[in-house]
Amino acid sequence: MEPLVHVTGRGVPLDRPNVDTDQIIPAAWLKKTTRTGYADGLFEQWRQDPDFVLNRPERAGATVLVSGPNFGCGSSREHAPWALHEWGFRAVIAPGFADIFRNNMPNAGLVPVLCEPAVVAAVMAAVTADAAAEIRIDVAGLTVTCEAAGVRAAPFRLDDEARDRLVSGLTQLEMTLRSADRIAAYEAVRAPWLDVTA
Amino acid sequence: MTPKTLVDKIWDLHVVEPGASDLLYIDLHLLHEVSSPQAFAGLREAGRTVRRPSHSVATTDHDVPTDGRELPADASAAQQLRVLADNCRDNDIELHQVGSPGQGIVHVIGPQMGLTRPGTTIVCGDSHTATHGAFGAIAFGIGTSEIEHVLATQTLRARRPLSMAVTVTGELGPGVTAKDLALGILAAGGTDAGTGTVIEFRGPAVRALSMEGRMTLCNMAVEMGARSGLVAPDETTFAYLEGRPRAPRGDLWDEAVAAWRTLRSDADAVFDRELVVDAGAVVQRVTWGTNPGQSVPVDGVVPDPAGIAHPGERAAAERALAYMDLRPGTAMRDIGVDVVFIGSCTNSRIEDLRAAAEVLRGRRVADGVRGLVVPGSMLVRQLAEQEGLDRVFTAAGFEWRMPGCSMCVGINGDTVGPGQRCASTSNRNFEGRQGPGARTHLVSPATAAATAVAGRFVTPADL
Ligand code: SF4
């Protein structure tokens, strides 16, 4: 994976609560067996509206999506963060994420930027008003800056493990394989009643 | 000792290596065709193997035709089914595919085989893995990268969840089901009340639920934003499991039950969040919007977004009404339906089919309404046929289908048409969930059956 130490770019405002993964990538796109080929499916239904924010020429090349609470709710499909990544996004700023989606994001090369609602509201207003407004996310330092919003080094929450992975570019699997001995040791003492295959 | 919640007890039993995210041992890994191909490909490309093939069980459900054909017409769906079969064969993983007696929706077959057991950790590349929590297991959905991680290591990196207690006091009224309870809790708490938590459902009204009812409730925990839901195991759980093909037998059974009996939250355990619901106040519900929190009683009316204080929620409600083509103040009873779907991992078990058949016995679906019953598994289908339920459904004008996810997600060809309105026993009423432009209203199986007969939203008592 590509290390993600900083994300700097323009924002796309999607000011809606409960953006679900069926909207991010409709189920018809889930019949592929590859990890790529999903960008055209991103918000496919909503993009049919020519005024939808992702269709606006001034939003082309933006790398940070700004949205409402409970972003990524619904299905566990990792195709949703894959599609966002392939479109060009590297981070999503929201006051709340659905759990599974939040777990999937770093594995797909996306930074979940979980901020205080007031910070998200300020950034939302700034990027809505100005498509050129710049957002800077310091992944290692867990802060977000958007001068146009008056937001300077506002902290965001991400657990250390996910942050270290994003910054190092190591996958979770590569990290865990270093603990193979611990897994074997656990298996040797696991209670027999937990073995559903016995 | 500090008192512990049930979730913490089960979690602690599975920590291989503590950390910011714990390394957690996974007892059972369920697989289906849609979320797994890239995970197997990742392993192959890196030259890695499956660590414990016997801990994984696969089925085909999302893509499969339910009209009796063995392969979907859609070439990519057919390809996905072949890829799963190849991956299972190459990695020595048990597979229940179309044509085999064990096939069915992944969250229906685990419990029916007796693989879903108290105290265990269960994952699957599917958010409704929460269903298995009904047995007192920690069961949650994962993404494809995590599937690869579990295949390679039989573990997962996961943050310890917060705990939430949803206590349901009193007793559900006559005709009020676990689905109505789930929709009622969602209406009260919202779609993110459970974020970051595993919800323990407790209280007398939960104890009184059958395993099927508990599965319906835990299934919908993920719609409350929770990673999962669970119910402490009890005699109802043990009675359901005893004698199932994969359940432990003899001494192993006794040993397991003794361990299972210890699985409960300590009396003074502290939960991070709590919600108390009075079962007596829960009524039959139907959703009007595009998230499962947007529901009203069947005898209620479409709400007016103007009454919603929060601007974001108000705008979302306005969007939902536009998508659903509904006007505030319209009685739900006056809203006609085109399609009725009885199925999905929420409500496709034998008890659900019995409840629907009871309403449909001696009745016919209204003119112009298409009714579909899709049993959750081959075993459910077979049981239903032994009880003659299939004949009740077909006599009433319903199509009696083969098992699969079908119209819950609409990727196997079973879809609701653009602009059509569907009363559905599934779990998600998102825009386009049942097909582009489809309008979904979530209800219980009994309400779905009554609605099919009336051609508009009603409860069985209205017929
Ligand atoms: S029935 Fe629906 S919710 Fe359940 S696993 Fe299948 S697609 Fe997912």
Side-chain angles (χ1 to χ4, degrees):
Chain A
M1 295 245 299
E2 201 185 313
L4 269 178
V5 184
H6 288 99
V7 176
T8 303
R10 287 173 289 118
V12 172
L14 185 63
D15 194 5
R16 301 176 186 189
N18 300 313
V19 173
D20 63 76
T21 52
D22 276 83
Q23 305 317 316
I24 300 174
I25 184 98
W29 288 83
L30 308 190
K31 289 181 248 179
K32 293 174 178 291
T33 54
T34 54
R35 267 178 173 262
T36 53
Y38 301 99
D40 287 344
L42 183 70
F43 294 114
E44 188 183 38
Q45 290 302 315
W46 290 350
R47 278 201 290 127
Q48 286 177 10
D49 171 2
D51 286 335
F52 182 62
V53 66
L54 280 189
N55 291 329
R56 310 288 311 168
E58 68 274 20
R59 301 293 173 181
T63 54
V64 182
L65 186 66
V66 188
S67 195
N70 203 26
F71 187 87
C73 60
S75 152
S76 58
R77 58 188 72 164
E78 196 166 316
H79 312 67
W82 291 340
L84 286 163
H85 185 271
E86 206 173 313
W87 181 274
F89 289 112
R90 292 297 176 267
V92 180
I93 301 179
F97 290 92
D99 286 329
I100 301 175
F101 185 82
R102 189 168 163 223
N103 281 340
N104 286 340
M105 286 179 75
N107 295 332
L110 281 175
V111 188
V113 183
L114 178 64
C115 284
E116 287 304 314
V119 172
V120 180
V123 175
M124 183 76 78
V127 301
T128 303
D130 180 6
E134 191 186 73
I135 300 170
R136 291 200 306 277
I137 296 156
D138 175 354
V139 184
L142 299 182
T143 63
V144 57
T145 297
C146 177
E147 298 288 350
V151 170
R152 286 180 200 89
F156 69 90
R157 289 203 299 280
L158 183 65
D159 68 78
D160 295 349
E161 193 263 339
R163 182 197 55 189
D164 294 349
R165 256 186 312 123
L166 282 165
V167 171
S168 69
L170 276 178
T171 67
Q172 216 163 25
L173 178 51
E174 286 161 342
M175 290 175 89
T176 298
L177 285 170
R178 298 172 179 167
S179 301
D181 291 353
R182 299 286 294 262
I183 301 171
Y186 175 90
E187 283 175 330
V189 299
R190 190 165 76 121
W193 64 272
L194 290 173
D195 190 354
V196 298
T197 61
Chain B
M1 279 207 319
T2 25
K4 282 210 251 183
T5 63
L6 174 55
V7 172
D8 275 340
K9 289 184 187 181
I10 301 174
W11 192 271
D12 289 342
L13 276 173
H14 291 86
V15 175
V16 172
E17 187 177 59
S21 283
D22 293 333
L23 190 62
L24 200 69
Y25 200 78
I26 301 303
D27 296 315
L28 178 64
H29 183 200
L30 299 167
L31 291 153
H32 63 79
E33 71 275 26
V34 169
S35 55
S36 64
Q38 298 87 350
F40 282 107
L43 282 188
R44 229 177 1 254
E45 282 155 25
R48 297 185 178 119
T49 54
V50 177
R51 182 181 176 92
R52 294 276 170 237
S54 65
H55 291 37
S56 286
V57 175
T59 186
T60 56
D61 52 7
H62 285 65
D63 281 349
V64 301
T66 59
D67 56 6
R69 282 174 300 137
E70 195 145 325
L71 274 181
D74 181 300
S76 42
Q79 166 72 0
Q80 221 170 33
L81 294 171
R82 271 192 300 271
V83 167
L84 180 66
D86 291 350
N87 283 331
C88 289
R89 186 199 57 219
D90 295 348
N91 293 285
D92 208 13
I93 290 172
E94 176 180 335
L95 168 66
H96 301 274
Q97 57 189 329
V98 172
S100 75
Q103 185 262 340
I105 303 175
V106 63
H107 310 311
V108 177
I109 69 159
Q112 82 184 20
M113 291 168 84
L115 281 171
T116 299
R117 300 200 204 149
T120 58
T121 48
I122 303 174
V123 296
C124 172
D126 192 284
S127 59
H128 291 102
T129 308
T131 314
H132 305 263
F135 291 80
I138 293 183
F140 53 93
I142 57 176
T144 297
S145 298
E146 292 176 317
I147 294 175
E148 186 178 338
H149 190 282
V150 175
L151 288 171
T153 67
Q154 204 52 45
T155 65
L156 196 68
R157 293 244 171 229
R159 287 183 303 276
R160 180 184 290 265
L162 299 172
S163 59
M164 177 165 182
V166 172
T167 307
V168 190
T169 59
E171 232 181 287
L172 289 174
V176 181
T177 67
K179 180 64 160 288
D180 300 303
L181 174 59
L183 291 174
I185 296 170
L186 269 156
T191 49
D192 57 3
T195 304
T197 75
V198 171
I199 298 175
E200 180 177 345
F201 294 102
R202 51 210 320 237
V206 174
R207 289 276 144 247
L209 289 176
S210 65
M211 287 316 295
E212 281 85 352
R214 294 177 190 184
M215 283 189 257
T216 301
L217 188 58
C218 289
N219 176 279
M220 299 284 290
V222 64
E223 312 311 330
M224 302 168 197
R227 240 190 276 182
S228 193
L230 94 174
V231 176
D234 58 13
E235 297 305 322
T236 305
T237 321
F238 311 150
Y240 179 98
L241 283 172
E242 192 166 12
R244 300 255 159 201
R246 298 295 178 81
R249 293 180 191 283
D251 289 349
L252 268 178
W253 170 260
D254 296 336
E255 206 182 302
V257 172
W260 296 344
R261 284 190 198 286
T262 67
L263 297 173
R264 59 191 62 243
S265 289
D266 292 327
D268 35 6
V270 181
F271 290 83
D272 297 301
R273 281 175 229 164
E274 292 208 52
L275 181 72
V276 178
V277 176
D278 170 16
V282 177
V283 296
Q284 286 119 324
R285 300 188 75 90
V286 51
T287 61
W288 53 266
T290 54
N291 79 52
Q294 295 171 320
S295 73
V296 289
V298 175
D299 58 13
V301 300
V302 176
D304 189 347
I308 301 174
H310 188 280
E313 294 289 340
R314 183 166 59 238
E318 280 163 1
R319 274 190 57 80
L321 287 187
Y323 180 84
M324 297 296 288
D325 191 29
L326 293 173
R327 261 156 294 283
T330 309
M332 295 309 294
R333 281 206 169 85
D334 291 338
I335 298 171
V337 301
D338 306 295
V339 182
V340 174
F341 170 62
I342 298 174
S344 91
C345 59
T346 314
N347 283 125
S348 65
R349 296 179 181 80
I350 188 67
E351 212 174 75
D352 302 312
L353 302 195
R354 284 183 193 136
E358 196 183 300
V359 176
L360 292 170
R361 210 176 286 276
R363 294 192 167 114
R364 288 281 306 171
V365 300
D367 285 344
V369 173
R370 178 186 183 203
L372 213 72
V373 185
V374 184
S377 67
M378 286 301 286
L379 186 70
V380 170
R381 187 178 147 96
Q382 191 193 339
L383 259 177
E385 289 180 350
Q386 277 166 14
E387 297 178 18
L389 305 185
D390 58 321
R391 291 190 296 281
V392 175
F393 289 122
T394 50
F398 268 84
E399 299 168 38
W400 175 244
R401 294 297 191 103
M402 301 300 284
C405 296
S406 180
M407 225 178 240
C408 170
V409 64
I411 56 174
N412 73 331
D414 298 343
T415 54
V416 176
Q420 282 198 323
R421 203 175 285 290
C422 178
S424 177
T425 66
S426 55
N427 42 51
R428 287 187 177 138
N429 50 345
F430 298 155
E431 288 181 29
R433 171 78 180 186
Q434 298 190 287
R439 299 183 176 126
T440 304
H441 296 264
L442 304 177
V443 290
S444 74
T447 300
T451 297
V453 172
R456 55 197 175 80
F457 292 104
V458 298
T459 64
D462 296 324
L463 293 178

